[in-house]
Amino acid sequence: MDRQEVEILAIGAGPANLALAVAVEELAGPELAAETLIVEQHDDILWQRGMLLPWTQSQVSFLKDLVTLRNPRSEFSFVNYLHSMGRLDEFINLGSFTPYRLEISGYLQWVAKSLRYVQIEYGRRCVSIEPVVSEDGGVHHWSVRTADGGEIICRTLVMGAGRDPHIPAEIGALPRNRIIHSTEYASRCAELDPDGAHRVVVVGGAQSAAEMFWATYQGFPNAQVTMVMRSIGLNTYESSKFTNELFYPSFVDEFHAALPEAREQLLREMHRTNYAGLAPGMLETLYREMYQQRLLGAERLRMITMTEVTGARLDGDDVVVSLTDRKTRRTQDLRSDVVLLGTGFARGMPKLIQDLAIAAGVGGATVDRSYRMNLPPSYTAGCYLQGVNEATHGIADSLLSVLAVRAQDIVYDLLAHLEREPAPELVLGTS
């Protein structure tokens, strides 16, 4: 592919960069927007692609869409999407603040198609990012290589491709075809025989694990499904109105200014608001179904609590998962056909960002209050990180709650840097 040159390159066409695209169009104007490109590795836009099941809902209010908390009058609001689709009456009548994931996915697709100036290119996976060293010794541009052989030169990068899936080391040695992470559940489980007598182990005790547990039970009527978790049992999210105030965009300033020990306490105490709980409806559904199964003496669902997964291996055609009871330290082997991982995402920075930090010669990827990556003084090329800054910006950073206002913060900071630091002329070879 030919080399492209743009002012802003955003990697990943998820909610974060779509919110940024709208903010660029509304706040920066058409000239900069026309010089903005989003590249997406998939051929389409889907929200929570692996867990896009028909009955699943968002846990976040529809008012926390891509724009409303920044600009309630924006034409890109979720309400305007419903109106344009002729579904506003029905959604109002539903009486819910939390849309189905399919609706949010449709909303994101609608926004992408409605952009006037920002371009999105699909089927383009970023494989490397390198700084371009100019004749003056400074770095004013980035060179981004894509899997299709293309190169994109940009002055400003925005990383919004999400975190890397967490595959526990105890499980990682298994053949890849025997492991299904929640990020790929919908497509990978579609490959299994729906009538097969599968023995399925689900690892994890939060929402994604519970959804896979239930979806597998429903979709495979002859399967035995066992859920293994470290906790004493499933719990609902901590969702009081007091703790929910910590998801306000305005709380980011307070969190960012807090002492390190205070940040650690906040993140620790907020863990159950997002990572260690279930939606109440999901919890009730699972308990009632398991109760009825015990009543009828036909149990296909089982939970093993307070248990560590300490290893996994193949024995013939069986996957053998080694379990250790946390109460007694007794061990047992659980034989299965496939292991489903509701283990979330790696806490560290994604590998692509780590590699970028190494190439830039900085010890690690950190950002300032405006989400701009801290780079050496010789860099006028900028890089903004979205959705990976919980340690400095709070637990809402990886959620929908702050999308709209964060996009505004980034655009205003980006404009200020472009005004202060005009880029020298780009001189490249012919490679």
Side-chain angles (χ1 to χ4, degrees):
M1 294 187 68
D2 294 335
R3 173 187 287 152
Q4 298 169 263
E5 295 181 21
V6 296
E7 188 68 37
I8 302 170
L9 175 63
I11 297 175
N17 279 339
L18 289 175
L20 178 84
V22 175
V24 169
E25 292 205 352
E26 293 187 342
L27 301 175
E31 184 174 344
L32 185 58
E35 283 293 312
T36 299
L37 172 66
I38 301 175
V39 291
E40 167 57 43
Q41 66 175 327
H42 294 101
D43 294 327
D44 55 8
I45 292 174
L46 293 176
W47 187 57
Q48 297 193 10
R49 181 179 303 269
M51 297 300 295
L52 196 60
L53 307 171
W55 43 269
T56 53
Q57 288 179 266
S58 167
Q59 304 305 313
V60 179
S61 168
F62 70 91
L63 293 172
K64 295 182 178 182
D65 59 16
L66 303 184
V67 294
T68 297
L69 291 178
R70 173 180 63 80
N71 176 16
R73 297 185 178 92
S74 174
E75 65 181 287
F76 293 95
S77 71
F78 182 75
V79 169
N80 194 39
Y81 159 69
L82 291 174
H83 180 265
S84 70
M85 297 290 107
R87 293 210 316 274
L88 185 55
D89 283 338
E90 286 83 355
F91 183 80
I92 293 171
N93 197 45
L94 187 65
S96 174
F97 271 84
T98 55
Y100 287 97
R101 285 184 196 152
L102 286 170
E103 287 184 294
I104 295 180
S105 205
Y107 165 59
L108 299 180
Q109 295 163 13
W110 173 82
V111 169
K113 292 175 182 176
S114 301
L115 294 168
R116 292 184 175 86
Y117 303 104
V118 175
Q119 298 297 307
I120 302 176
E121 295 182 358
Y122 297 95
R124 304 199 68 186
R125 181 172 61 86
C126 175
V127 294
S128 70
I129 302 169
E130 295 288 339
V132 178
V133 181
S134 298
E135 293 179 349
D136 63 3
V139 174
H140 312 301
H141 299 86
W142 302 99
S143 169
V144 177
R145 300 279 181 173
T146 52
D148 55 14
E151 181 185 18
I152 306 169
I153 303 295
C154 66
R155 185 175 176 191
T156 301
L157 268 175
V158 185
M159 308 293 289
R163 292 184 182 272
D164 296 333
H166 173 53
I167 310 293
E170 297 81 5
I171 299 289
L174 288 174
R176 198 64 185 87
N177 66 342
R178 296 301 191 97
I179 305 171
I180 300 177
H181 191 270
S182 61
T183 54
E184 54 188 4
Y185 177 81
S187 60
R188 293 280 307 281
C189 275
E191 300 170 359
L192 299 177
D193 177 6
D195 297 318
H198 307 291
R199 297 163 299 171
V200 180
V201 173
V202 181
V203 178
Q207 184 72 17
S208 61
E211 288 179 0
M212 290 191 293
F213 187 56
W214 180 244
T216 304
Y217 168 73
Q218 285 190 309
F220 300 91
N222 298 312
Q224 296 287 330
V225 192
T226 303
M227 191 177 196
V228 179
M229 68 194 78
R230 298 179 72 249
S231 61
I232 61 173
L234 299 179
N235 293 290
T236 57
Y237 289 121
E238 164 57 52
S239 58
S240 81
K241 289 180 170 58
F242 292 101
T243 54
N244 279 345
E245 290 189 357
L246 303 187
F247 291 94
Y248 290 178
S250 57
F251 184 71
V252 174
D253 280 328
E254 191 173 341
F255 185 93
H256 190 266
L259 295 171
E261 59 267 28
R263 289 182 185 175
E264 290 177 9
Q265 178 185 348
L266 283 164
L267 289 174
R268 189 169 57 250
E269 294 190 16
M270 290 293 286
H271 188 75
R272 276 192 56 203
T273 65
N274 185 50
Y275 295 123
L278 276 67
M282 183 84 265
L283 192 72
E284 181 73 12
T285 295
L286 288 176
Y287 192 83
R288 285 189 173 276
E289 185 65 24
M290 294 181 74
Y291 179 88
Q292 288 181 318
Q293 286 191 10
R294 287 192 294 268
L295 187 65
L296 299 172
E299 298 181 47
R300 288 200 298 117
L301 290 174
R302 182 166 68 122
M303 289 185 187
I304 304 176
T305 62
M306 289 200 71
T307 297
E308 303 270 6
V309 174
T310 50
R313 68 185 191 279
L314 276 184
D315 181 14
D317 199 40
D318 284 357
V319 173
V320 181
V321 180
S322 299
L323 306 178
T324 300
D325 190 308
R326 300 181 72 198
K327 302 185 296 296
T328 64
R329 305 312 298 172
R330 292 175 183 164
T331 61
Q332 65 169 309
D333 286 342
L334 181 61
R335 291 183 175 268
S336 65
D337 300 304
V338 65
V339 178
L340 309 182
L341 297 178
T343 49
F345 297 88
R347 293 194 176 185
M349 288 289 176
K351 185 178 184 304
L352 193 62
I353 296 176
Q354 293 180 37
D355 291 344
L356 185 154
I358 292 170
V362 294
T366 61
V367 296
D368 63 17
R369 170 60 186 84
S370 298
Y371 306 94
R372 188 179 180 93
M373 189 171 170
N374 297 310
L375 295 166
S378 59
Y379 279 64
T380 62
C383 180
Y384 294 88
L385 306 184
Q386 300 211 69
V388 293
N389 305 304
E390 285 189 2
T392 53
H393 289 66
I395 199 166
D397 190 67
S398 61
L399 308 177
L400 300 179
S401 301
V402 299
L403 286 181
V405 176
R406 182 176 64 202
Q408 174 179 272
D409 292 344
I410 290 174
V411 170
Y412 283 160
D413 187 74
L414 188 157
L415 290 173
H417 277 274
L418 292 180
E419 185 177 346
R420 288 197 304 268
E421 302 164 348
E425 182 180 354
L426 178 65
V427 179
L428 295 170
T430 58
S431 59

mmCIF file of all heavy atoms in Angstrom, residues 388-411:
data_model
loop_
_atom_site.group_PDB
_atom_site.id
_atom_site.type_symbol
_atom_site.label_atom_id
_atom_site.label_comp_id
_atom_site.label_asym_id
_atom_site.label_seq_id
_atom_site.Cartn_x
_atom_site.Cartn_y
_atom_site.Cartn_z
ATOM 1 N N VAL A 388 -6.474 3.203 29.370
ATOM 2 C CA VAL A 388 -5.434 2.392 30.026
ATOM 3 C C VAL A 388 -4.805 3.137 31.204
ATOM 4 O O VAL A 388 -3.718 2.766 31.662
ATOM 5 C CB VAL A 388 -4.341 1.976 29.015
ATOM 6 C CG1 VAL A 388 -4.902 1.009 27.984
ATOM 7 C CG2 VAL A 388 -3.725 3.198 28.335
ATOM 8 N N ASN A 389 -5.482 4.166 31.697
ATOM 9 C CA ASN A 389 -4.879 5.050 32.693
ATOM 10 C C ASN A 389 -5.575 5.000 34.049
ATOM 11 O O ASN A 389 -5.643 6.006 34.753
ATOM 12 C CB ASN A 389 -4.896 6.489 32.165
ATOM 13 C CG ASN A 389 -4.234 6.623 30.808
ATOM 14 O OD1 ASN A 389 -3.085 6.247 30.635
ATOM 15 N ND2 ASN A 389 -4.979 7.126 29.844
ATOM 16 N N GLU A 390 -6.060 3.828 34.443
ATOM 17 C CA GLU A 390 -6.749 3.726 35.729
ATOM 18 C C GLU A 390 -5.843 4.146 36.891
ATOM 19 O O GLU A 390 -6.305 4.754 37.854
ATOM 20 C CB GLU A 390 -7.246 2.297 35.956
ATOM 21 C CG GLU A 390 -8.461 1.938 35.129
ATOM 22 C CD GLU A 390 -9.052 0.610 35.547
ATOM 23 O OE1 GLU A 390 -8.529 -0.006 36.496
ATOM 24 O OE2 GLU A 390 -10.046 0.193 34.938
ATOM 25 N N ALA A 391 -4.574 3.833 36.837
ATOM 26 C CA ALA A 391 -3.674 4.115 37.948
ATOM 27 C C ALA A 391 -3.553 5.602 38.232
ATOM 28 O O ALA A 391 -3.325 6.007 39.379
ATOM 29 C CB ALA A 391 -2.291 3.538 37.663
ATOM 30 N N THR A 392 -3.723 6.439 37.203
ATOM 31 C CA THR A 392 -3.569 7.886 37.386
ATOM 32 C C THR A 392 -4.865 8.668 37.231
ATOM 33 O O THR A 392 -4.968 9.799 37.704
ATOM 34 C CB THR A 392 -2.547 8.439 36.380
ATOM 35 O OG1 THR A 392 -2.917 8.028 35.053
ATOM 36 C CG2 THR A 392 -1.154 7.938 36.704
ATOM 37 N N HIS A 393 -5.864 8.074 36.563
ATOM 38 C CA HIS A 393 -7.096 8.807 36.272
ATOM 39 C C HIS A 393 -8.359 8.146 36.830
ATOM 40 O O HIS A 393 -9.458 8.651 36.627
ATOM 41 C CB HIS A 393 -7.252 9.002 34.758
ATOM 42 C CG HIS A 393 -6.278 9.982 34.175
ATOM 43 N ND1 HIS A 393 -4.924 9.746 34.137
ATOM 44 C CD2 HIS A 393 -6.461 11.214 33.629
ATOM 45 C CE1 HIS A 393 -4.319 10.789 33.574
ATOM 46 N NE2 HIS A 393 -5.217 11.680 33.263
ATOM 47 N N GLY A 394 -8.216 7.015 37.509
ATOM 48 C CA GLY A 394 -9.357 6.403 38.174
ATOM 49 C C GLY A 394 -9.971 5.267 37.406
ATOM 50 O O GLY A 394 -9.708 5.043 36.221
ATOM 51 N N ILE A 395 -10.830 4.537 38.113
ATOM 52 C CA ILE A 395 -11.383 3.295 37.576
ATOM 53 C C ILE A 395 -12.307 3.517 36.381
ATOM 54 O O ILE A 395 -12.511 2.633 35.562
ATOM 55 C CB ILE A 395 -12.126 2.522 38.689
ATOM 56 C CG1 ILE A 395 -12.284 1.051 38.301
ATOM 57 C CG2 ILE A 395 -13.454 3.184 39.034
ATOM 58 C CD1 ILE A 395 -12.704 0.168 39.459
ATOM 59 N N ALA A 396 -12.845 4.728 36.240
ATOM 60 C CA ALA A 396 -13.746 5.006 35.120
ATOM 61 C C ALA A 396 -13.015 5.127 33.796
ATOM 62 O O ALA A 396 -13.650 5.173 32.744
ATOM 63 C CB ALA A 396 -14.543 6.284 35.391
ATOM 64 N N ASP A 397 -11.683 5.160 33.821
ATOM 65 C CA ASP A 397 -10.937 5.424 32.596
ATOM 66 C C ASP A 397 -11.163 4.370 31.520
ATOM 67 O O ASP A 397 -11.084 4.668 30.329
ATOM 68 C CB ASP A 397 -9.438 5.527 32.899
ATOM 69 C CG ASP A 397 -8.649 6.048 31.710
ATOM 70 O OD1 ASP A 397 -8.835 7.228 31.349
ATOM 71 O OD2 ASP A 397 -7.870 5.270 31.120
ATOM 72 N N SER A 398 -11.447 3.128 31.925
ATOM 73 C CA SER A 398 -11.651 2.070 30.935
ATOM 74 C C SER A 398 -13.125 1.871 30.595
ATOM 75 O O SER A 398 -13.474 0.947 29.862
ATOM 76 C CB SER A 398 -11.069 0.749 31.450
ATOM 77 O OG SER A 398 -11.717 0.367 32.651
ATOM 78 N N LEU A 399 -13.994 2.753 31.102
ATOM 79 C CA LEU A 399 -15.437 2.601 30.932
ATOM 80 C C LEU A 399 -16.006 3.706 30.041
ATOM 81 O O LEU A 399 -15.301 4.623 29.622
ATOM 82 C CB LEU A 399 -16.122 2.610 32.302
ATOM 83 C CG LEU A 399 -15.549 1.630 33.333
ATOM 84 C CD1 LEU A 399 -16.272 1.790 34.663
ATOM 85 C CD2 LEU A 399 -15.659 0.201 32.824
ATOM 86 N N LEU A 400 -17.324 3.614 29.792
ATOM 87 C CA LEU A 400 -17.984 4.622 28.978
ATOM 88 C C LEU A 400 -18.160 5.953 29.702
ATOM 89 O O LEU A 400 -18.333 6.994 29.066
ATOM 90 C CB LEU A 400 -19.371 4.121 28.541
ATOM 91 C CG LEU A 400 -19.432 2.841 27.710
ATOM 92 C CD1 LEU A 400 -20.880 2.500 27.391
ATOM 93 C CD2 LEU A 400 -18.631 2.976 26.430
ATOM 94 N N SER A 401 -18.100 5.946 31.026
ATOM 95 C CA SER A 401 -18.518 7.092 31.822
ATOM 96 C C SER A 401 -17.804 8.394 31.488
ATOM 97 O O SER A 401 -18.398 9.470 31.586
ATOM 98 C CB SER A 401 -18.335 6.785 33.312
ATOM 99 O OG SER A 401 -19.092 5.661 33.689
ATOM 100 N N VAL A 402 -16.523 8.333 31.130
ATOM 101 C CA VAL A 402 -15.757 9.568 30.932
ATOM 102 C C VAL A 402 -15.421 9.838 29.467
ATOM 103 O O VAL A 402 -14.685 10.775 29.158
ATOM 104 C CB VAL A 402 -14.447 9.535 31.758
ATOM 105 C CG1 VAL A 402 -14.746 9.426 33.245
ATOM 106 C CG2 VAL A 402 -13.540 8.395 31.313
ATOM 107 N N LEU A 403 -15.952 9.031 28.547
ATOM 108 C CA LEU A 403 -15.563 9.133 27.144
ATOM 109 C C LEU A 403 -15.682 10.545 26.586
ATOM 110 O O LEU A 403 -14.750 11.077 25.980
ATOM 111 C CB LEU A 403 -16.433 8.212 26.286
ATOM 112 C CG LEU A 403 -16.208 6.714 26.338
ATOM 113 C CD1 LEU A 403 -17.180 6.032 25.397
ATOM 114 C CD2 LEU A 403 -14.788 6.380 25.967
ATOM 115 N N ALA A 404 -16.850 11.142 26.762
ATOM 116 C CA ALA A 404 -17.137 12.415 26.113
ATOM 117 C C ALA A 404 -16.223 13.519 26.618
ATOM 118 O O ALA A 404 -15.634 14.277 25.827
ATOM 119 C CB ALA A 404 -18.605 12.791 26.333
ATOM 120 N N VAL A 405 -16.084 13.618 27.934
ATOM 121 C CA VAL A 405 -15.273 14.685 28.511
ATOM 122 C C VAL A 405 -13.787 14.423 28.285
ATOM 123 O O VAL A 405 -13.007 15.350 28.049
ATOM 124 C CB VAL A 405 -15.589 14.850 30.011
ATOM 125 C CG1 VAL A 405 -14.684 15.882 30.658
ATOM 126 C CG2 VAL A 405 -17.053 15.245 30.195
ATOM 127 N N ARG A 406 -13.370 13.155 28.336
ATOM 128 C CA ARG A 406 -11.961 12.843 28.050
ATOM 129 C C ARG A 406 -11.603 13.243 26.623
ATOM 130 O O ARG A 406 -10.514 13.791 26.375
ATOM 131 C CB ARG A 406 -11.695 11.353 28.260
ATOM 132 C CG ARG A 406 -10.230 10.966 28.022
ATOM 133 C CD ARG A 406 -9.985 9.502 28.328
ATOM 134 N NE ARG A 406 -10.723 8.631 27.451
ATOM 135 C CZ ARG A 406 -11.030 7.364 27.721
ATOM 136 N NH1 ARG A 406 -10.656 6.827 28.874
ATOM 137 N NH2 ARG A 406 -11.702 6.629 26.867
ATOM 138 N N ALA A 407 -12.489 12.986 25.678
ATOM 139 C CA ALA A 407 -12.230 13.381 24.290
ATOM 140 C C ALA A 407 -12.047 14.892 24.186
ATOM 141 O O ALA A 407 -11.172 15.375 23.452
ATOM 142 C CB ALA A 407 -13.380 12.915 23.397
ATOM 143 N N GLN A 408 -12.840 15.643 24.932
ATOM 144 C CA GLN A 408 -12.693 17.102 24.952
ATOM 145 C C GLN A 408 -11.334 17.502 25.518
ATOM 146 O O GLN A 408 -10.646 18.367 24.963
ATOM 147 C CB GLN A 408 -13.805 17.711 25.796
ATOM 148 C CG GLN A 408 -13.688 19.205 26.011
ATOM 149 C CD GLN A 408 -14.848 19.722 26.841
ATOM 150 O OE1 GLN A 408 -15.894 20.072 26.303
ATOM 151 N NE2 GLN A 408 -14.672 19.772 28.150
ATOM 152 N N ASP A 409 -10.926 16.879 26.627
ATOM 153 C CA ASP A 409 -9.625 17.173 27.231
ATOM 154 C C ASP A 409 -8.498 16.946 26.221
ATOM 155 O O ASP A 409 -7.569 17.757 26.102
ATOM 156 C CB ASP A 409 -9.383 16.290 28.455
ATOM 157 C CG ASP A 409 -10.302 16.615 29.622
ATOM 158 O OD1 ASP A 409 -10.922 17.701 29.612
ATOM 159 O OD2 ASP A 409 -10.412 15.773 30.543
ATOM 160 N N ILE A 410 -8.585 15.830 25.499
ATOM 161 C CA ILE A 410 -7.531 15.495 24.544
ATOM 162 C C ILE A 410 -7.511 16.487 23.391
ATOM 163 O O ILE A 410 -6.446 16.979 22.994
ATOM 164 C CB ILE A 410 -7.717 14.055 24.033
ATOM 165 C CG1 ILE A 410 -7.417 13.059 25.150
ATOM 166 C CG2 ILE A 410 -6.810 13.778 22.824
ATOM 167 C CD1 ILE A 410 -7.715 11.607 24.797
ATOM 168 N N VAL A 411 -8.667 16.823 22.853
ATOM 169 C CA VAL A 411 -8.717 17.738 21.705
ATOM 170 C C VAL A 411 -8.197 19.113 22.085
ATOM 171 O O VAL A 411 -7.404 19.723 21.347
ATOM 172 C CB VAL A 411 -10.143 17.819 21.135
ATOM 173 C CG1 VAL A 411 -10.255 18.955 20.113
ATOM 174 C CG2 VAL A 411 -10.524 16.506 20.469
#
